[in-house]
Amino acid sequence: MISIVILGSGNVAQHLIKTFGKLSKQSNQIVVKQVYTRNPEALRGILNRDKITNHTGNIPEADVYLIAVSDNAIKEVSSSIPFSNKLVIHTSGSMGLEEIDTKNRSGVLYPLQTFSKSKAIDFSTIPIGIEATNEKDILTVKQIANVLSKKVFVIDSAQRKALHVAAVFVCNFVNHMYHIGQNICEEHQIPFEIMQPLIEETADKIKILNPKEAQTGPAIRNDQKTIDKHLGFLSNDIEKNIYNLITQSIQSHGKKL
Amino acid sequence: MISIVILGSGNVAQHLIKTFGKLSKQSNQIVVKQVYTRNPEALRGILNRDKITNHTGNIPEADVYLIAVSDNAIKEVSSSIPFSNKLVIHTSGSMGLEEIDTKNRSGVLYPLQTFSKSKAIDFSTIPIGIEATNEKDILTVKQIANVLSKKVFVIDSAQRKALHVAAVFVCNFVNHMYHIGQNICEEHQIPFEIMQPLIEETADKIKILNPKEAQTGPAIRNDQKTIDKHLGFLSNDIEKNIYNLITQSIQSHGKKL
């Protein structure tokens, strides 16, 4: 059994708390002793009030301290843990191990997924990249990650940063492409749901083809007439710039690779 | 029963030929009398040789001529049909009805999907936007479309063009974001499959949340430290420019809406 204190109450923290809560009904491999957050209200309905504290002085002793707060707050939260020589891990894709105050041992458990409060998620399918400074701690982090997910892999900080940047492209930027698509549809009284099969097929296709092979559309066909038509159609300058730049990038990748 | 001649042998034509072939075993609502293509070899293994011609003089009389060729070839192919006052429809998202030679009646059957030769597709889930110049022809196009798909909707040319531009963003540009993500992973010895659950969740999430609500990541959080880190991490100038521009667009949409 590994006892854990979770620090944080944002999207990732909430999904972790819910998942550990569910899993604790099946086995007692992981016990969440307490959650520390400056904002206990955020966990209303998710966790019993007696499991939550907003005083660092009340943080109990545990095997592992799991910090799931915004990147900029990791340092401060880690230094507020009133213990030393404990394993303290954060969940950030972009922050190094050095964010953890050196009075404790450091590790990372990075779930590669997009979390929104209002959408439930099956943690068992989420790839988790883990890291720690010594073998024993790697084993402990792995034990925790294995309880959450079937896809756990040990990576170093450089790989984690690469994953985080890649995730910005394949998730955040992709979602923004959906947003622009929705705007265009709505401007022409077209329900956005019509795009959903195309969106799903685009995501599905790359299980079989790699993205370079899967590329379709006017850019890769060098179909300048259609490209010009589309640019003439777009009224928003940023959208025009995005159209131009990604078209250029598709064409240069098409050549290069 | 509606008799059809298909003109073309590219991605869309091949998927249509395969789908009509399958459907003809269940009912005879649609009969593909012949396929005209300049390149019969492209249909090897897909259709019997006696159903294919590469001479316009051999094109038989039929109720409907379905042109599935590249946008720039529609005009020429349509004028080569050796009949008049027939219903001739094309499958392009971006071309108008006027591409069809005026000796015949014009229509459009636009399947909103990304087609790759090597990936099978369930046509019944593909939204099809249809258009024609008179009510009777709309009914005929609708009959054909209804055989192919459960999701058929009548749209005008302006809406079809909007759909096509939106599709470039949610499909072609999204796929390019996957491509960049893959490049970043490969540069750091990370298998790209690790991104697949994130990619699927991103596509799935917008069934429940609209893309604006679903937006996560450093741009929408105005997390300039992480943005700067990512820009420092990217070595490719086009990728840096894309990162900057989409970040700026996410932030301006975040404010505006």
Side-chain angles (χ1 to χ4, degrees), chain B residues 117-129:
Chain B
K117 283 197 184 91
S118 51
K119 184 169 188 304
I121 214 158
D122 177 7
F123 231 103
S124 69
T125 63
I126 300 176
I128 298 181

Side-chain angles (χ1 to χ4, degrees), chain A residues 190-217:
Chain A
I190 303 164
F192 183 56
E193 299 86 83
I194 286 176
M195 311 303 282
Q196 194 65 37
L198 176 61
I199 286 169
E200 283 171 37
E201 174 65 14
T202 305
D204 199 50
K205 210 182 203 179
I206 55 164
K207 288 186 200 165
I208 292 175
L209 303 171
N210 73 47
K212 184 176 155 58
E213 295 166 330
Q215 189 66 53
T216 57

Side-chain angles (χ1 to χ4, degrees), chain A residues 9-162:
Chain A
S9 60
N11 282 345
V12 177
Q14 289 190 17
H15 281 280
L16 283 169
I17 293 165
K18 284 180 197 166
T19 304
F20 283 128
K22 256 185 250 164
L23 293 170
S24 70
K25 287 167 194 154
Q26 296 155 27
S27 92
N28 64 349
Q29 286 181 275
I30 309 287
V31 170
V32 177
K33 285 183 89 167
Q34 192 155 46
V35 174
Y36 162 79
T37 170
R38 281 179 304 185
N39 176 24
E41 273 307 298
L43 298 177
R44 185 196 282 266
I46 292 172
L47 196 68
N48 280 345
R49 189 65 186 84
D50 63 355
K51 283 268 203 174
I52 308 168
T53 182
N54 57 355
H55 293 291
T56 54
N58 290 341
I59 295 174
E61 201 160 358
D63 299 322
V64 178
Y65 295 82
L66 180 50
I67 301 179
V69 299
S70 63
D71 286 359
N72 302 333
I74 295 172
K75 198 161 236 160
E76 192 196 326
V77 169
S78 102
S79 65
S80 73
I81 295 170
F83 299 97
S84 61
N85 198 27
K86 295 288 185 181
L87 176 56
V88 177
I89 61 188
H90 71 65
T91 59
S92 164
S94 66
M95 303 306 269
L97 290 164
E98 68 279 3
E99 294 299 303
I100 305 295
D101 192 297
T102 52
K103 69 184 174 187
N104 285 303
R105 293 165 356 250
S106 58
V108 176
L109 182 153
Y110 171 46
L112 185 68
Q113 191 49 281
T114 168
F115 297 96
S116 291
K117 284 196 182 93
S118 50
K119 186 169 187 304
I121 215 158
D122 176 8
F123 230 102
S124 68
T125 64
I126 300 176
I128 298 181
I130 62 165
E131 192 181 353
T133 42
N134 71 60
E135 278 303 316
K136 193 168 161 276
D137 287 341
I138 288 178
L139 280 179
T140 306
V141 183
K142 202 182 255 177
Q143 249 181 295
I144 299 171
N146 280 336
V147 166
L148 292 168
S149 166
K150 292 169 204 124
K151 297 177 189 165
V152 177
F153 48 102
V154 179
I155 50 175
D156 62 27
S157 288
Q159 286 178 311
R160 185 160 41 83
K161 278 170 198 169

Side-chain angles (χ1 to χ4, degrees), chain B residues 13 15 26 40 53 60 74 96 147 157 167 178 199 201 212 230 236 250:
Chain B
H15 281 280
Q26 294 156 27
T53 182
I74 296 172
V147 166
S157 288
Y178 298 158
I199 285 170
E201 173 66 12
K212 185 178 154 57
H230 287 177
N236 177 308
I250 290 171

Side-chain angles (χ1 to χ4, degrees), chain B residues 16-17 28 53 55 61 71 79 86 89 92-93 106-108 111 114 120 127 135 140 149 151 164 167 172 175 184 193:
Chain B
L16 283 170
I17 292 165
N28 64 349
T53 182
H55 293 292
E61 202 161 355
D71 286 359
S79 65
K86 295 287 186 182
I89 61 188
S92 163
S106 59
V108 176
T114 168
E135 278 302 316
T140 306
S149 166
K151 295 178 190 165
H164 195 246
N172 306 152
N175 185 72
I184 295 168
E193 300 87 83

Side-chain angles (χ1 to χ4, degrees), chain B residues 41-61:
Chain B
E41 273 306 299
L43 299 178
R44 188 194 279 266
I46 292 173
L47 195 67
N48 279 344
R49 190 62 186 83
D50 63 355
K51 283 269 205 175
I52 308 168
T53 182
N54 58 354
H55 293 292
T56 54
N58 291 341
I59 295 175
E61 202 161 355

Side-chain angles (χ1 to χ4, degrees), chain A residues 114 116 175-176 205 215 249, chain B residues 114 116 175-176 205 215 249:
Chain A
T114 168
S116 291
N175 184 72
H176 190 58
K205 210 182 203 179
Q215 189 66 53
S249 182
Chain B
T114 168
S116 292
N175 185 72
H176 190 58
K205 210 183 205 181
Q215 189 67 54
S249 183

